[in-house]
Amino acid sequence: MPSTDGVIIKKVLPIIYVIDTSGSMSGERIATVNAAMRECEQVLRDKASDSPDNELKIGALTFSSGAEWLTKTGLVSLEDFYWNDAKAGGVTDLGAALNELNDKLSRSAFLKSETGCCVPVIIFMSDGCPTDSWEKSLAKISAENRWFASARKIAIAIGEDADTDILKKLVGNVEAVVRSNDLETLQKLIVAVSASASMLAGKSRLANDEASGGEILDNALTEVEGDVEIEKDTAPVDEPAPAPVDTGDGWSDDDWS
Amino acid sequence: MAIFEKGTVIKTEFGAPIEIVSYIAGGGQGDVYVVNYNGKRKALKWYKAGVMRDPDAFYKNLKRNAEHGSPDKAFLWPDAVTEHRDGTFGYIMDLRPEGYYELGKLLGSPKYNFKTFKAATDACLKIVSAFRILHNNGYSYQDLNDGNFFINPDTGDVRICDNDNVAPNGTSTGILGKPRYMAPEIVVGGGKVLPDTNSDRYSLSAILFLILFLSHPLEGKRWLVPCLTDALAEKLYGSEALFICDPKDSSNGPVRNIHTNLLNRWGFMPDYLKDMFLKAFSKEVLFTPGRRIAEVDWLKVLVRFRSDIVNCSCGNETFIQNAATTKCDRCGKNVVVTNVLGLPAYDMTAAKGSRIYRCQVGICNADEALDPVMAVVAKPTGELGLKNMTSLVFNATTPSGKSKQIAPQDIIPFIPGIKIEAYGKTVELK
């Protein structure tokens, strides 16, 4: 008789945080983000450790004057996910972060897996306006990188100065940008969005549902309901981001970078 | 997030009090509490306001289900629906017993694996049996997935939860199902094709395969793409669904060192069981919802498989082949089969505890499929006997040609050569 031990094989679900650590984030803002990320460690372990649907792996990229991965060696599995506090200071080089993403969202870099990946989730957090040539970087990554183009992207705008128009262009989906003006709500929101992203595959679908950044956000918002400081931005974007590349190209296994 | 404090009292729609005891957990749809109701500890599921497309129709359906009562004790069925409060409502059901875990956990974590194949097979039998009754009562479940079953991994006992989408077959509650468990026609239906009994039967086959092979039936080579986008998933689970063990098309076959569970287990399983899965996931059945395997056909093979799982003296479960002495694959000793029951369709291993069910003797209707007909019993000395488990009198012929009658509950010694007439068929002791 074969052994009854074992687990079902799973695909990797990458959840990648892209966090603004520019000077304007210093003080309470970055402290709140750090506290939320520490909370995420536990919440994600509780919710996703034994998941039969996928194996969660986490990446974290910060940007200020330049961009730097906190998970330097690649995506980390839940048991190895321990948050090291990010520090704020410098300018807002969003373009540098996009270039880093473009570089690492690849099968030959961070997305190496024998069983392959689910569509990645990318969660952006920013409180300001980019200071570098981010538009060029966005056009480049959107055109070149199918992982980025297909990713379910969500943006959390922190405070009133955050430029939601830019965030909308970044995520390419008006339904997936949310603004939080108070820090307590921000912390809850980061945790709820993370939990919702981790559980999307395990959720039963209703007619006309679409698995998207917008749905992840909607599910998260039902968790933090009642907080008036949350403002989901539903205004149309002036200049839509390029449409995701059609990936229904048969069963080819060409490199996705 | 708990909205109700301990001690809060809400009412059922007919006015009976429900007292909140403690908060258990929350999910996307709502929260679950322990409550006191009608002198007993029960569970209350309380929906979040605004999560349903059509709350009035949902409420009506839930109320109707509660009034009709549970079709089988395996279901954690709605006992009563609550009054409306703050624009929403909930329902009362039995609590999940201790030691039962979500099937998803059993599949996803080695801590919760089934202890034995017998337990895994028993879980399959209980699940199929419960759905047979549900379907025969005119319901469809609509959202069958690995989150609906609480299973005791030691015994294989099952409780089925989330019965709030159960509806008369042909009606919709708005649910489509969970990705990876939805039938191909639902996956490609773009929200226009809604679940029914036939799509339930696809999901049921997938769950049985997952339990017995610890692998998904459609997640072969094609599933290993670098990124499973929504468009590719629609092909894999929908328009181009292809069984990982399809004998004619290996383009979605298992890959060595990756699909190890399947490769380790497939070769061990008896042909009659593999044949049933080959049929359930053949292209014809995948794409013709009306041809899905009926529960009674699963019961027949699962009952047979259960009787073929015998413990070797080394403790290893051995799958007996053709009801004959089989070598244990762990210690190499023979697991000796001395007694055999010759059923109309095949020979079955007879050991203490073996049972013949109604679906193994001649044609029967689905309701009686799992009724025990005869059971193998043993004296403390090890001498075997056969007990009549029905309320009927069976006629038997001894090896010397004498006729005898076996009254209900009577036990006859297990003597090779005895032939028993039951339901117009013959069962022979060998």
Side-chain angles (χ1 to χ4, degrees), chain B residues 60 75 81 125 171 197 228 287 289-290 313 317 348 370 401 412 424:
Chain B
K60 254 190 221 162
F75 291 97
V81 184
L125 271 167
T171 55
T197 307
L228 190 65
F287 297 112
S313 56
E317 282 183 308
M348 175 186 140
L370 276 191
I412 59 162

Side-chain angles (χ1 to χ4, degrees), chain B residues 13-336:
Chain B
E13 45 95 23
F14 49 83
I18 303 160
E19 185 197 349
I20 304 287
V21 176
S22 59
Y23 174 75
I24 304 179
Q29 270 198 320
D31 300 308
V32 182
Y33 298 85
V34 178
V35 295
N36 275 329
Y37 171 67
N38 202 12
K40 289 193 184 119
R41 286 281 156 110
K42 294 271 183 177
L44 166 72
K45 177 158 181 185
W46 189 257
Y47 296 101
K48 284 178 188 156
V51 294
M52 270 167 250
R53 297 271 160 95
D54 187 350
D56 290 342
F58 197 88
Y59 187 85
K60 254 190 221 162
N61 183 58
L62 204 56
K63 189 166 169 255
R64 183 176 48 209
N65 288 353
E67 285 164 359
H68 282 185
S70 176
D72 187 78
K73 68 174 173 43
F75 291 97
L76 298 174
W77 197 257
D79 280 344
V81 184
T82 72
E83 61 185 347
H84 279 80
R85 192 180 267 217
D86 301 325
T88 184
F89 54 88
Y91 71 91
I92 305 286
M93 64 187 143
D94 279 347
L95 283 162
R96 173 193 0 162
E98 288 287 313
Y100 287 62
Y101 306 98
E102 256 184 44
L103 173 59
K105 275 201 166 178
L106 270 64
L107 302 172
S109 163
K111 277 181 287 185
Y112 304 100
N113 282 149
F114 279 105
K115 272 272 165 59
T116 59
F117 268 94
K118 203 157 220 167
T121 310
D122 276 339
C124 291
L125 271 167
K126 295 230 158 92
I127 290 170
V128 175
S129 169
F131 279 92
R132 172 180 59 100
I133 295 165
L134 188 83
H135 287 159
N136 284 352
N137 277 298
Y139 294 109
S140 68
Y141 188 89
Q142 316 226 349
D143 186 18
L144 251 156
N145 68 64
D146 60 354
N148 310 135
F149 302 102
F150 290 118
I151 299 180
N152 182 323
D154 299 340
T155 64
D157 196 25
V158 176
R159 291 289 182 279
I160 302 168
C161 60
D162 292 342
N163 297 297
D164 42 1
N165 286 305
V166 171
N169 190 32
T171 55
S172 161
T173 58
I175 201 99
L176 291 181
K178 179 175 159 177
R180 301 172 72 231
Y181 292 88
M182 285 187 262
E185 65 273 18
I186 310 290
V187 174
V188 299
K192 291 188 186 76
V193 180
L194 297 168
D196 60 8
T197 307
N198 290 329
S199 61
D200 274 2
R201 284 180 170 160
Y202 165 82
S203 311
L204 185 62
S205 306
I207 282 165
L208 299 178
F209 192 79
L210 276 154
I211 291 177
L212 293 174
F213 293 95
L214 208 54
S215 316
H216 190 288
L218 305 179
E219 295 178 351
K221 205 185 293 171
R222 290 175 174 183
W223 175 79
L224 297 171
V225 285
C227 181
L228 190 65
T229 60
D230 296 343
L232 289 179
E234 192 172 315
K235 287 184 182 181
L236 186 77
Y237 302 107
S239 60
E240 293 177 21
L242 179 63
F243 186 31
I244 188 167
C245 297
D246 192 295
K248 291 180 203 138
D249 185 346
S250 62
S251 60
N252 194 30
V255 174
R256 200 178 293 275
N257 296 328
I258 293 181
H259 295 101
T260 42
N261 295 327
L262 178 73
L263 292 166
N264 285 342
R265 293 180 179 206
W266 184 257
F268 275 96
M269 296 294 184
D271 286 345
Y272 57 83
L273 184 65
K274 290 193 280 195
D275 287 347
M276 198 56 121
F277 282 111
L278 287 168
K279 188 173 168 196
F281 299 114
S282 65
K283 283 182 187 168
E284 190 190 7
V285 174
L286 280 172
F287 297 112
T288 320
R291 298 221 172 152
R292 301 268 157 74
I293 307 291
E295 288 78 21
V296 66
D297 293 321
W298 282 120
L299 288 180
K300 284 180 187 170
V301 293
L302 289 167
V303 159
R304 183 174 177 187
F305 182 46
R306 192 183 188 283
S307 72
D308 278 342
I309 304 173
V310 173
N311 278 339
C312 171
S313 56
C314 75
N316 182 38
E317 282 183 308
T318 302
F319 299 164
I320 298 294
Q321 286 159 18
N322 305 317
T325 296
T326 304
K327 202 184 233 183
C328 169
D329 56 274
R330 191 203 278 168
C331 71
K333 270 192 282 182
N334 277 334
V335 178
V336 180

Side-chain angles (χ1 to χ4, degrees), chain A residues 11-93:
Chain A
K11 283 187 109 70
V12 170
L13 169 61
I15 297 188
I16 297 166
Y17 297 90
V18 183
I19 303 170
D20 181 348
T21 52
S22 62
S24 58
M25 284 288 289
S26 58
E28 281 187 323
R29 281 184 179 166
I30 196 68
T32 304
V33 171
N34 284 327
M37 293 307 296
R38 280 195 299 271
E39 200 180 331
C40 282
E41 278 177 23
Q42 200 48 50
V43 168
L44 291 179
R45 266 185 212 122
D46 285 351
K47 291 199 184 283
S49 282
D50 298 331
S51 164
D53 301 309
N54 44 52
E55 184 195 353
L56 215 62
K57 289 202 172 179
I58 313 282
L61 172 65
T62 57
F63 62 98
S64 51
S65 304
E68 189 188 1
W69 287 94
L70 294 181
T71 49
K72 286 188 176 58
T73 51
L75 304 184
V76 294
S77 43
L78 274 179
E79 58 265 34
D80 301 324
F81 174 48
Y82 291 99
W83 186 252
N84 290 318
D85 281 357
K87 292 183 180 58
V91 292
T92 312
D93 288 347

